[in-house]
Amino acid sequence: MDNIKPQDVSKPSEQMIKLDNLMSLPAPYDQPGMEPDIKTAGDAWSKNYCASLDGIIGNDMLFRPKTGPEEKQIISKFLNGLDKLFYEESNGGYLQPLLLSFEYCEKCNTCSEACHVFKGSGEKEIYRPVFRSEVFRMLYKKYKKGGSLWRRFLGGDIEINVEAVMRLGELAYRCNLCRRCAQVCPLGLDNGLLAREIRKLFSQEMNMAPKLLHEKGSVLQLKTGSSTGIARAAFLDMMEFMEEDIADRTGKHYKIPIDKKGADILLIHNAGEFFSWPDGPAAFAIIFGEAGLDWTLSSDIAGYDCVNYGLFYDDLQARKLALHQLKAARELGVRRIIIGECGHAHRASAVTSDRLVAGGDNIPRESCFPLLWDLVKNNILKLNPARNNFPVTLHDPCNITRMMGIIQPQRQIIKAVCPWFKEMTPNGVKNYCCGGGSGFAVMNSLNLQEWMCKVSCRMKFKQVLEAFQNTVENKSMIKYVCAPCSNCKGTFRNMLDYYQATSRFNIRYGGLAELIVNAMVEFNRPYLEFLNEDIT
Amino acid sequence: MLLLFFLYLSLFAFLTFSINKFFWFARMPLHGRWELYPVPREPAERARYGGSYYEEPEWWKKPRKISRIGEIKKVLKEMFFIRRLFINQRRHWWFSYSLHAGIYWLILWAVFLLAGAVTELSGQVLITGEDGNFWAGLVYSGTLISGGAGVLLLTVGSTGLFLRRMFNRVLNKYSAPQDYFNLLFILAVAVSGLVVWNGDPGFDYGREILKAMLTFSPVKAGTALTVHILLLGALLIYIPQTKMSHYVCKFFAFHRVLWDNEPNLKNSKIERKIKRTLSNKPPVVSWAAPHAKISEQLKELSGEDQEE
């Protein structure tokens, strides 16, 4: 166990911890040489960013100040933001949950055992959920309470300096905001919420949010319509191409309706799927077409991209995007919005934005999974589960399960279409995060991806290996991780690549809609491309 | 008479500060939804695995089912057994449970003392019940059992938690001096109670104090009892000022945050609250980042159709 205390964040050191002695992985990854070593930041990066926490740079906008006045300015901005977190006028929407989690922690450390980052790292002290929260508390108490004896009595015995502020800013990006820790807290307190509040302070006050979430994420989405940068014209081209591709692969033409006024359903996908996993949206087009649903896509701003990165770091950006999405639906006059396979968008759209509007603006939002299960259950689609003749396990996206309570529909579908389904342990509402939650999956500018694959994904990779335990080393057998969430898919892509699990052991990943279409009897070819040589 | 006034004052302060804290939290603005499943107010068949109404297609058309019984059962389990700690951190639970169970027994003890005081004031004599008076026997034995169990459990719990915090490396590094002080304060009250009990095994002193409080008569106390009363009173005044007032926080943390999955449905109570919140004045304290300026575009987006 590291002999590190929260107060140590203020003390100068090259790096607070070394990323060694991580949690061991099961066979065949228990052998030396099965995973690459992690590369921490070099001198050049360390001069410009905060690499003094663990050698990893998560927030690439957190620039190290070069001069004394710059240092003072950072500290001053931080303290201003700290104040604003606790004002009703500037943080009324989260003040009550913040104060509860901030004031009442008994530091019993029950949360640590539930945290996949802490456990995966081999129990590194700085990754304890309470470590980050305690630094946050101590800085606030030191700053607010004054008077050294009283401050120390209350637990504000910490120095405020630029190192502490920057390390706290980085620490906020070592938590996936999966909130598994809050599930076990005897007082119902939430370290995930505190991590997000710290991110919020850095973004809303200091303008220091990771570039891929903010500038190239939510800002880009509000400007072009999508965080991928796909503008309306490009989106329309892509949909046209998708129609042709579906026709080529299935021999059947499916219309992808766009901007259809008065449709029953506005379906919104994560636009990243159009680039990286087009089989997902295409599968939806096939299923909705076969079921004869009255649906449409939108080409409006945020109408064709359900991504809302604001959920991860910034209330104001989250609000703007959620309102744009509702505006797109309102202008089309649809009856309901259905969110495709994207976990954070599920929550941002259905839950987080639920108290932003009222009356006629409040167009109902729902998950795609109950609708898909309804179609499967009622035999609207003709399916043959034998076509999915390979082991399948299901990853539960935190935002869909733990934060929305959608547990059964996706399971029922998989059980109906995959005869070799095997659950991970634990699963459902007690699942572990994929490791890429809260934006990590897309934050690939410096070396956070290495940390993600090595540390935050470690528990999930272990679960995958355990779910396929008897078949992992059978390379001729395809093993499929169903990850019905774009962010989780991105994580699995990077994770399986990092551990070379596809090339070595034929472990694949993908969504849920693709499995349904792959089981449809009317197509001669398997829908999943990697099966074309396996199913006759 | 000073002791009597101090007792009134400490009880009054405890209740006033606790109630004040409750209303302080209750008056806070409506917050964004931040629920976490399993939510026990979902019907039992769903709450069992952590499901919600979002599992239904077109969920807003379905009748909203809320299980108050499920919620109450979960609350009681958490209150009386500290279930989450029991499941997730058994070692800590033993002492934490001992301390909390001690408090519950002592609350029961106070009820028995009050019953005993009223009984004695009404002219009956409280003895072991050998004379056949069931009520007198019940109150007398109840006082003995609850008081004895309470003070012993409280002593064991506060000592155990203090020592764990001292010698467990993880707990130690996250504990502030106040965390130790709080436990020592409780322990001091428990130990002074043990000393007084040692000289008065039937807890007659407790009934005498209650009778004095009911009749506004001076409290007769020796040195040990005076110290005990002063410590207990001070603790009652101190608790609501600290995080030991988590009996208030827990209500909000669970009922108003983690279990509040009430959807914003048309014509619902929550919709009315949201409309009120949305019609409030815009924030006067704004954030400094460039994107944080409230733009006309945002006003337009959020302002439409609010009055419908």
Side-chain angles (χ1 to χ4, degrees):
Chain A
M1 188 188 300
D2 309 310
N3 192 24
I4 293 172
K5 296 191 297 249
Q7 292 90 328
D8 295 340
V9 295
S10 318
K11 296 176 185 165
S13 64
E14 196 179 318
Q15 206 172 294
M16 287 184 82
I17 60 152
K18 298 270 180 231
L19 289 167
D20 51 12
N21 298 320
L22 307 180
M23 179 187 77
S24 56
L25 290 170
Y29 284 87
D30 54 348
Q31 300 302 316
M34 289 297 283
E35 56 179 307
D37 291 329
I38 198 160
K39 292 184 204 79
T40 49
D43 284 348
W45 285 0
S46 303
K47 275 181 196 157
N48 293 326
Y49 304 99
C50 176
S52 60
L53 183 71
D54 51 5
I56 303 297
I57 296 146
N59 189 346
D60 53 2
M61 291 301 284
L62 191 54
F63 295 113
R64 193 170 275 286
K66 307 283 184 214
T67 62
E70 277 180 15
E71 282 192 11
K72 277 187 187 159
Q73 196 186 20
I74 283 196
I75 295 170
S76 157
K77 279 184 176 178
F78 174 77
L79 295 176
N80 283 341
L82 204 52
D83 267 340
K84 288 176 189 176
L85 283 182
F86 292 89
Y87 290 158
E88 188 177 320
E89 293 84 355
S90 42
N91 198 23
Y94 284 92
L95 188 60
Q96 190 181 73
L98 166 64
L99 280 171
L100 291 165
S101 291
F102 188 84
E103 294 284 354
Y104 288 94
C105 177
E106 290 289 349
K107 296 151 211 165
C108 66
N109 263 299
T110 309
C111 47
S112 302
E113 292 301 306
C115 175
H116 63 285
V117 175
F118 175 67
K119 299 302 280 183
S121 71
E123 308 196 349
K124 300 286 178 287
E125 196 63 34
I126 62 166
Y127 301 142
R128 274 186 198 282
V130 74
F131 184 90
R132 179 189 315 104
S133 305
E134 201 49 22
V135 171
F136 181 40
R137 276 189 203 101
M138 289 175 114
L139 287 172
Y140 185 74
K141 282 177 184 167
K142 159 90 178 189
Y143 161 60
K144 293 302 282 185
K145 304 289 178 184
S148 69
L149 200 62
W150 182 237
R151 183 188 73 219
R152 283 176 190 210
F153 178 69
L154 294 176
D157 187 15
I158 195 169
E159 287 308 310
I160 295 186
N161 56 28
V162 78
E163 205 58 54
V165 172
M166 293 197 71
R167 280 173 171 159
L168 182 66
E170 270 299 330
L171 267 173
Y173 288 92
R174 298 296 182 278
C175 167
N176 285 117
L177 311 184
C178 80
R179 303 177 64 206
R180 200 168 188 272
C181 56
Q183 269 184 329
V184 300
C185 176
L187 295 173
L189 311 182
D190 195 335
N191 288 294
L193 176 108
L194 295 182
R196 188 180 177 277
E197 291 295 300
I198 300 167
R199 292 182 179 195
K200 191 157 95 184
L201 186 168
F202 276 82
S203 176
Q204 295 183 183
E205 187 67 17
M206 302 166 77
N207 200 26
M208 287 177 159
K211 197 177 266 185
L212 283 148
L213 294 186
H214 186 61
E215 191 184 321
K216 292 186 177 175
S218 63
V219 172
L220 185 65
Q221 189 175 5
L222 286 164
K223 193 175 157 194
T224 64
S226 166
S227 58
T228 56
I230 304 174
R232 184 175 183 274
F235 164 70
L236 295 175
D237 280 350
M238 287 172 114
M239 291 307 100
E240 201 180 315
F241 176 78
M242 189 178 280
E243 276 183 3
E244 289 165 14
D245 184 57
I246 294 171
D248 285 348
R249 291 169 66 182
T250 64
K252 199 168 171 182
H253 183 77
Y254 292 93
K255 174 79 186 148
I256 299 179
I258 297 173
D259 295 333
K260 183 179 165 190
K261 294 268 180 190
D264 179 38
I265 294 168
L266 167 62
L267 175 65
I268 314 184
H269 292 293
N270 178 321
E273 300 253 334
F274 302 138
F275 268 135
S276 303
W277 308 284
D279 285 1
F284 271 90
I286 295 169
I287 293 168
F288 280 26
E290 282 297 322
L293 300 178
D294 177 18
W295 70 290
T296 185
L297 299 179
S298 162
S299 68
D300 202 351
I301 295 269
Y304 56 94
D305 190 356
C306 59
V307 160
N308 189 337
Y309 290 153
L311 186 78
F312 301 144
Y313 76 100
D314 192 302
D315 290 348
L316 307 163
Q317 295 296 89
R319 186 170 174 223
K320 289 177 204 167
L321 284 165
L323 292 173
H324 266 294
Q325 197 178 78
L326 286 170
K327 182 170 168 274
R330 205 167 54 228
E331 285 179 359
L332 284 177
V334 297
R335 194 171 63 86
R336 53 179 164 153
I337 297 173
I338 288 192
I339 304 297
E341 293 187 13
C342 179
H344 89 274
H346 262 70
R347 179 163 154 237
S349 176
V351 179
T352 312
S353 62
D354 193 40
R355 291 179 180 171
L356 293 183
V357 292
D361 283 355
N362 193 16
I363 294 164
R365 282 91 63 201
E366 64 177 318
S367 163
C368 59
F369 301 120
L371 173 69
L372 291 176
W373 170 230
D374 215 38
L375 300 178
V376 171
K377 182 174 65 179
N378 294 315
N379 298 316
I380 306 293
L381 310 166
K382 290 190 178 60
L383 304 169
N384 177 12
R387 295 173 68 111
N388 289 322
N389 191 26
F390 45 86
V392 174
T393 190
L394 173 67
H395 163 66
D396 284 298
C398 305
N399 283 303
I400 292 171
T401 54
R402 191 162 22 251
M403 293 173 234
M404 278 185 78
I406 302 174
I407 316 292
Q408 288 302 333
Q410 62 274 40
R411 288 193 151 62
Q412 304 289 11
I413 294 167
I414 288 209
K415 284 175 188 168
V417 301
C418 301
W420 289 42
F421 172 57
K422 173 113 192 281
E423 286 276 19
M424 291 186 194
T425 307
N427 59 60
V429 82
K430 292 183 179 171
N431 74 316
Y432 281 112
C433 171
C434 60
S438 81
F440 291 0
V442 296
M443 289 161 60
N444 57 6
S445 65
L446 296 168
N447 61 353
L448 185 75
Q449 286 299 303
E450 278 199 69
W451 179 86
M452 180 187 90
C453 292
K454 192 89 172 173
V455 179
S456 64
C457 291
R458 203 167 186 84
M459 188 63 84
K460 183 53 64 178
F461 189 55
K462 178 172 178 274
Q463 281 193 291
V464 169
L465 294 175
E466 286 169 349
F468 295 135
Q469 56 182 328
N470 299 322
T471 53
V472 170
E473 293 185 61
N474 182 351
K475 201 184 164 185
S476 64
M477 182 180 276
I478 284 166
K479 280 111 2 205
Y480 187 93
V481 182
C482 176
C485 160
S486 308
N487 193 79
C488 304
K489 272 185 208 163
T491 309
F492 275 104
R493 175 188 57 201
N494 299 356
M495 181 203 306
L496 298 180
D497 184 48
Y498 185 82
Y499 291 98
Q500 299 176 50
T502 306
S503 58
R504 283 171 174 164
F505 303 111
N506 213 352
I507 299 176
R508 313 270 174 165
Y509 74 97
L512 180 62
E514 297 95 302
L515 285 173
I516 298 174
V517 175
N518 197 58
M520 285 170 69
V521 294
E522 66 180 285
F523 305 130
N524 297 325
R525 268 178 71 189
Y527 185 72
L528 296 169
E529 286 295 337
F530 55 77
L531 286 177
N532 277 322
E533 291 172 12
D534 293 36
I535 295 179
T536 54
Chain B
M1 284 304 271
L2 278 177
L3 270 184
L4 183 73
F5 282 121
F6 180 68
L7 278 168
Y8 286 135
L9 174 75
S10 54
L11 265 180
F12 177 77
F14 177 80
L15 291 173
T16 309
F17 290 141
S18 299
I19 292 168
N20 186 46
K21 189 158 264 190
F22 182 90
F23 282 107
W24 184 67
F25 273 116
R27 277 195 297 266
M28 281 187 183
L30 182 69
H31 57 75
R33 281 174 61 180
W34 197 255
E35 68 248 39
L36 191 69
Y37 291 86
V39 169
R41 67 176 60 158
E42 287 292 323
E45 64 275 13
R46 282 222 175 97
R48 186 174 47 78
Y49 61 80
S52 78
Y53 53 86
Y54 284 122
E55 291 190 321
E56 294 277 343
E58 301 196 53
W59 56 268
W60 60 93
K61 286 182 166 175
K62 312 284 161 56
R64 174 102 172 96
K65 290 181 194 160
I66 294 173
S67 169
R68 293 290 172 206
I69 291 175
E71 194 172 358
I72 290 166
K73 267 165 69 179
K74 196 83 173 180
V75 168
L76 291 177
K77 273 186 195 169
E78 201 51 53
M79 269 178 68
F80 290 112
F81 300 107
I82 321 181
R83 195 170 159 272
R84 285 183 172 209
L85 202 59
F86 178 78
I87 293 168
N88 298 298
Q89 217 191 143
R90 193 69 57 87
R91 277 189 193 168
H92 200 75
W93 178 86
W94 286 107
F95 293 120
S96 180
Y97 187 67
S98 174
L99 183 141
H100 287 91
I103 293 170
Y104 297 147
W105 278 108
L106 288 174
I107 292 170
L108 184 65
W109 176 65
V111 173
F112 275 121
L113 287 179
L114 181 65
V118 172
T119 306
E120 286 190 344
L121 285 173
S122 69
Q124 285 190 58
V125 180
L126 275 193
I127 49 168
T128 56
E130 285 167 6
D131 65 346
N133 183 332
F134 173 76
W135 173 249
L138 175 75
V139 172
Y140 188 83
S141 327
T143 308
L144 270 186
I145 294 166
S146 57
V151 72
L152 289 172
L153 285 167
L154 191 68
T155 309
V156 170
S158 51
T159 309
L161 285 177
F162 180 78
L163 293 175
R164 249 183 84 74
R165 218 164 258 286
M166 282 284 283
F167 297 111
N168 180 295
R169 282 183 64 193
V170 178
L171 288 176
N172 181 274
K173 70 171 80 171
Y174 291 98
S175 299
Q178 191 184 23
D179 297 320
Y180 296 103
F181 176 79
N182 293 350
L183 289 166
L184 281 180
F185 202 165
I186 295 172
L187 181 60
V189 173
V191 170
S192 64
L194 280 172
V195 172
V196 177
W197 185 33
N198 186 44
D200 181 359
F203 293 114
D204 292 337
Y205 74 88
R207 277 187 294 275
E208 290 305 320
I209 292 171
L210 264 293
K211 279 196 281 186
M213 289 180 78
L214 289 171
T215 57
F216 305 101
S217 318
V219 173
K220 291 171 200 154
T223 310
L225 183 55
T226 303
V227 170
H228 180 55
I229 290 172
L230 290 175
L231 284 171
L232 177 63
L235 184 66
L236 287 175
I237 297 167
Y238 177 68
I239 282 175
Q241 326 294 329
T242 69
K243 64 184 175 185
M244 287 193 284
S245 60
H246 57 235
Y247 48 88
V248 176
C249 128
K250 257 183 134 165
F251 172 84
F252 290 96
F254 284 103
H255 297 270
R256 293 287 172 84
V257 180
L258 299 185
W259 298 347
D260 177 11
N261 64 348
E262 198 55 38
N264 174 10
L265 293 173
K266 268 199 172 160
N267 304 320
S268 62
K269 200 171 147 191
I270 195 83
E271 190 194 47
R272 287 194 290 279
K273 268 192 197 176
I274 292 165
K275 281 184 174 171
R276 270 201 305 277
T277 307
L278 292 172
S279 64
N280 283 345
K281 281 187 286 187
V284 288
V285 179
S286 59
W287 295 85
H291 69 273
K293 312 291 174 211
I294 294 178
S295 65
E296 287 306 311
Q297 186 193 27
L298 184 58
K299 281 184 198 163
E300 179 199 323
L301 282 165
S302 57
E304 289 180 15
D305 209 18
Q306 296 306 317
E307 300 309 317
E308 192 173 322

